[in-house]
Amino acid sequence: MFKHLRGEDDASINCPLSVSPANEEEILMAAAIRYGYYYDGDIKEDTPNEVVANMIYQAFKHQMDIFLDDKEDGELFTTSALTYSTAAKMRQPSLGQDKGVKGAVAEVLSFNYRLSNTPMVISKWKEFASSGILQTNMQAWLDKNGHNQIQIQLHNMNLLVPRSSKFYAERSATQISYRYLLPISWILPNDKDTRDEEMAKAIDWWKYIKDRSSSNHRTHEPRGKDSPPCPMFIKKLKQSLKQLESKTVANRKLRRKSQKETSPNDEEYVDSSDCSRLSPGRFGQLWRKEKRCWSNFADGKGLSVSPGFEAVWRSIDRAKIVGFIQNEEKNESLDDTIQNMHIVIEVRADGFVMGQIPRLITSLVAMTNGWLPQSFFDDTTRPDVYMPVTSVPPYLDKRMYFHSARYHFHELTSNGLGGDDKVGNSLASTINSSQPEDNWELVLRDRLLLSGKGDTAIESIEDEWLLELRDVTSVNLRKQIDKIETEEIAEQSFQSRKEDSTSLPLVDTDAPCGAYSTTLELLRNVVESGRWPTTSDARSRVIKTTDATTKAKLATKKKATISQFPNTEESGGVISSGSFTVVNDEIWDSSELPLANSLFPELTEAVFELEKEIIKQSTESPLPAAEGMNRSLHQRQPSSHCAVNRNAQFTPHVDSGRGKGQSVSMIVGLGNYTEGETIVEGKTYAIRYAALEFDGWNQLHWTNKFIGERYSLVWFTPEEVSKDEKSTKLNDDEKASRLARLHSNTVPYLPPLKFRHGSTDALVINEILKEDSNNVYFMKPATNMPLGFSLQNHKCILDCGAHIGVFSRYALSQGCEHIIAYEPEPSNYNLLSENLNIIRSLSEDSPIIELHQCAVAMSSGLQTLVQARHENSGKQNTWRHSLSQYAVYVDRDTKMSSDKQMNTLQTFEVECKSFFRDVLRSGISFVKIDAEGAEIDILVSEEASYAKNWIDITHLVFEWSFTKERRVNVFHKAVSNLHKAGFAVHYEGMGSWWDCEGILWPYPNDMLVFAVRDI
């Protein structure tokens, strides 16, 4: 019954009563370390915050090794869950720290650890960990062994935080703040007399503020009449900062009271919070801070800058001036004083998307100078407004730094953690600010400013940026704001015209005959029958709806909009918006069809017939495409899905999903309406009976306002192979069939991809045609390959061991224009020829495809090819054929496991081409080698070590046949040759126990190796 008090199970391990302290043999604790840093160097691979966190962690491990005096026994001490307050591992990557930030005042790091030892050692560790000696030793180790360009200052630490506190530096942070050193010259008036007068006021005003703040008064003292006046440019800056802060939304009782007072005669009223996003889960009254959409201030494109992306909705709690920096020098002129004076601005929030803070500074400078209106943030944070702020201040690394993170919940509950007030107070002191931090901040500011002081090139670039902000960026943004304001004024009149639009005739005289008119008639029949389905919650959140008491708004919360078509009489003639999806059952799995397919079979058929007609008409001239879209299709193939929309005014968004398969959407408008264009990345396209292709998964798109009855159809093909349990039940051939069908849409000038069912062909398809994150020829960035490895941006590719052409076709789908493929085995080559036979060419830019029925080896001539034996399961083996000197299959006299396996292997002569002398040529930038052993002699040869022999090759990927040569030192010889030729080499397991001289490869499979070089 009281087992939890004895600590005999894992669930009770954190219970403070579970083990008597005198008999502890194991402790599970968390470490919290507060520190600052400055990185004086160019940021290349890792961000400084990650590098610094790992250095501090290594310093701690080093001290632990010294304490235990046992560096070999890894079971005595283990750690996990290393994280820090600016990390983005538990959050969206877009919420990470800006790359230009090189310093921090008070970063917090945490990790969990487990220590097992005798009770005496445990007791000594607690005593040692709670003393200041460990921090001193770690600081000394960091100063001596740290990075020569990084200075780290440890402020405080607590190494005995109970696990029950559940303290994690990243996840537990409730608020983070950054500071920016704003040159005062950026916001001073241009007129010299006014400038000098304002500057003098600023110096006196700040001196007064500083003296008051340093005095020992304990109560609020109002400023006297004799206090110096605040300069006008400071007032403007404060006003701009105030506009940046999120509003605090009144509680529900006050909101309802206010609404009733506003509309006392209305029996029903609209809750004013419908248009606001609050911050539930935040500490205290911070939950009532309104979240705003900062998509126009974010880095990147596609989903990361879409208003529908949750990460761009942030709450800015406070923006204020926290200090002035005035580096006074003897005999310094006023102009020099202005040049050396900076205002310290602090911005606190629940998080920032990457790129947000620099763009906020840009906006604040423009607003303070009067180049942009004070309502700028109200306009740009509207989710239905596309107004990207493209200008960012130069030299972010010399002005911006991370200040601190708050842990409100832990600050409140830290006292008395684990029944020990000392432990609780220690955690509180670790996660709260202290005097050493203030001293470090002064050092950090000096280093940031000194890194650019006196550099005339930096000053010139900043002056040019300021002029461009004034004369170009602000002017363009102002035009967009004026346009929005004009549209707002016309909105009321527009809504009145829209209500009158119900009198427009329902029969179009300009609708093209055929599929267009048929589809339009069926759409109207659905509306008249009252059977239009309810719009999904996800889609409703990106459709504008007209509120009965306010102007058009965007539903930004789940279930905030029910986009179902009401009865026309009940709605007073107002036509609602709605959207649903139908699926092409000729392409998509018939077991996964939506309800709309069964409700509207005729409409479904007509919708996809219309797409076919549009595609047919595009054979003479390509379909119009949105600017900036990367389209490699020569002719569109039929889509699997179509979104059917009626009177839906979409706000800026990107489509959900990864856009696998076709990835290019096509939209067309139908009906009797005016305006209603589709806008893609800010450019307007008329789509009424005029189809447009665009990248819905990567390009922001939305709908212009319209009058009348507007339908739109959006055809697309998403990723078909889902990651749920149902997909795992498919056999290899079924998975390959799906992937082959989707892949064929991306290369319509080639025939549908063919393969042999019941063979290893399916395994090749499943390996290569997966999404990039799982594709075997795709590699994420690594330390020695910061750009990763992919097929992007390669015009000419050499495929050695082309099999049935899956890799070559995949390369074509990625934009390759020239394929050179070698395959010696006759049955594979026949299928390769079919799969790479161009059947349709719509332009002179059709890819060049060269096929060679030859083997690739170190030397040329005739050699014997051994055909691989089928697998024991009876599956046909089509990918292990090899030259005789590399073959692992031999003739057998014993009975075989399968009737399909033959005792005597089939062999035949094939022509071989020398890799370096006959195959490589100028213009090839990417090489794939899967030669079943022949790559061994190629890569260990002396020729492979000379850079000139690789000509224009920048990317090489090959399968090393460990099953044919198990000696790791032979593999190392090939790697060494590639290094000599200038390649960086990466493979799984680098540096592991087997990756040593004298070791035999311990696994039953071959290994893929990536190599990259710059030329």
Side-chain angles (χ1 to χ4, degrees), residues 634-681:
H634 289 251
Q635 184 180 24
R636 187 180 184 85
Q637 291 294 292
S639 304
S640 63
H641 289 60
C642 182
V644 182
N645 313 305
R646 181 174 190 260
N647 291 347
Q649 186 179 355
F650 286 89
T651 59
H653 70 285
V654 294
D655 298 330
S656 60
R658 292 292 306 276
K660 288 300 169 182
Q662 186 170 276
S663 82
V664 175
S665 303
M666 181 172 71
I667 186 172
V668 72
L670 303 87
N672 189 24
Y673 67 93
T674 59
E675 300 183 77
E677 301 89 351
T678 289
I679 306 173
V680 182
E681 297 287 346

Side-chain angles (χ1 to χ4, degrees), residues 429-441:
S429 63
T430 301
I431 60 180
N432 285 322
S433 60
S434 59
Q435 183 60 41
E437 293 175 22
D438 297 335
N439 298 334
W440 170 252
E441 184 171 11

Side-chain angles (χ1 to χ4, degrees), residues 133-424:
I133 300 174
L134 181 57
Q135 179 175 333
T136 302
N137 293 347
M138 287 177 60
Q139 184 68 65
W141 187 90
L142 288 168
D143 293 341
K144 181 179 180 181
N145 301 286
H147 197 290
N148 58 5
Q149 292 182 314
I150 299 179
Q151 181 178 352
I152 302 173
Q153 181 64 47
L154 301 179
H155 300 317
N156 211 330
M157 63 173 63
N158 180 5
L159 304 178
L160 299 174
V161 181
R163 289 279 189 91
S164 58
S165 68
K166 298 181 178 179
F167 180 77
Y168 299 95
E170 177 190 350
R171 191 173 64 190
S172 302
T174 53
Q175 187 184 70
I176 61 175
S177 62
Y178 285 85
R179 289 185 175 179
Y180 190 88
L181 308 180
L182 180 72
I184 201 169
S185 59
W186 289 4
I187 56 176
L188 277 173
N190 288 327
D191 179 71
K192 189 177 187 309
D193 293 337
T194 307
R195 184 187 185 97
D196 294 348
E197 182 181 351
E198 287 287 280
M199 188 62 189
K201 287 182 180 179
I203 294 174
D204 293 340
W205 173 78
W206 180 248
K207 186 177 183 301
Y208 173 77
I209 296 296
K210 188 176 180 180
D211 292 341
R212 288 184 73 251
S213 63
S214 61
S215 64
N216 294 324
H217 66 272
R218 299 299 181 189
T219 58
H220 175 72
E221 296 179 4
R223 297 178 190 173
K225 295 181 180 180
D226 298 331
S227 62
C230 179
M232 182 57 64
F233 75 96
I234 295 293
K235 288 182 180 180
K236 292 180 179 179
L237 177 59
K238 285 185 173 183
Q239 292 172 0
S240 301
L241 289 168
K242 192 66 178 177
Q243 295 299 317
L244 177 58
E245 296 177 0
S246 296
K247 297 178 176 62
T248 300
V249 180
N251 61 43
R252 186 176 300 176
K253 183 177 180 180
L254 292 177
R255 292 198 303 268
R256 289 177 174 173
K257 180 180 179 182
S258 175
Q259 185 66 40
K260 287 181 178 179
E261 291 175 352
T262 304
S263 308
N265 298 325
D266 293 345
E267 295 182 2
E268 296 183 1
Y269 57 89
V270 178
D271 190 340
S272 62
S273 68
D274 282 352
C275 297
S276 301
R277 277 194 181 186
L278 302 181
S279 306
R282 298 196 67 196
F283 181 82
Q285 296 301 306
L286 291 177
W287 77 270
R288 293 198 289 113
K289 285 287 185 179
E290 180 187 13
K291 283 187 175 183
R292 291 196 282 180
C293 177
W294 296 98
S295 58
N296 286 316
F297 294 79
D299 280 340
K301 63 178 183 178
L303 183 63
S304 62
V305 295
S306 169
F309 186 39
E310 188 64 28
V312 303
W313 289 82
R314 312 310 317 167
S315 172
I316 295 184
D317 304 327
R318 191 71 191 273
K320 61 179 181 178
I321 299 173
V322 295
F324 272 67
I325 300 176
Q326 183 180 359
N327 297 324
E328 297 182 1
E329 298 180 4
K330 292 182 178 180
N331 302 322
E332 185 179 56
S333 65
L334 185 59
D335 289 339
D336 291 334
T337 301
I338 292 173
Q339 194 67 33
N340 293 328
M341 195 168 185
H342 295 76
I343 301 173
V344 184
I345 293 175
E346 179 181 277
V347 185
R348 299 182 203 163
D350 61 345
F352 299 93
V353 289
M354 294 181 69
Q356 180 180 350
I357 297 177
R359 289 172 173 83
L360 293 180
I361 297 299
T362 295
S363 306
L364 290 170
V365 171
M367 293 165 64
T368 303
N369 283 295
W371 305 333
L372 290 175
Q374 288 293 311
S375 62
F376 180 70
F377 290 126
D378 291 335
D379 293 328
T380 50
T381 56
R382 284 174 48 178
D384 59 335
V385 169
Y386 178 72
M387 195 188 302
V389 180
T390 56
S391 176
V392 296
Y395 302 107
L396 184 68
D397 57 329
K398 303 181 187 306
R399 305 209 178 277
M400 178 175 160
Y401 59 91
F402 176 78
H403 182 256
S404 62
R406 290 293 303 272
Y407 297 88
H408 290 94
F409 292 103
H410 288 279
E411 291 170 17
L412 179 67
T413 61
S414 59
N415 288 326
L417 279 177
D420 187 345
D421 287 343
K422 292 182 179 180
V423 173

Side-chain angles (χ1 to χ4, degrees), residues 721-735 738:
V721 181
S722 61
K723 297 180 179 178
D724 57 14
E725 296 180 356
K726 181 164 52 180
S727 67
T728 62
K729 297 178 181 178
L730 300 177
N731 61 40
D732 290 333
D733 285 343
E734 290 172 331
K735 292 178 182 178
R738 282 187 165 193

Side-chain angles (χ1 to χ4, degrees), residues 495-503 527 544-548 564-578 646-647 706 708-709:
Q495 290 298 329
S496 175
R497 292 163 55 205
K498 193 170 184 178
E499 291 178 8
D500 295 339
S501 67
T502 54
S503 61
V527 176
K544 272 189 176 180
T545 183
T546 303
D547 190 275
Q564 188 172 13
F565 279 82
N567 182 280
T568 305
E569 294 181 0
E570 294 176 356
S571 62
V574 177
I575 304 175
S576 299
S577 59
R646 181 174 190 260
N647 291 347
F706 58 89
E709 171 209 43

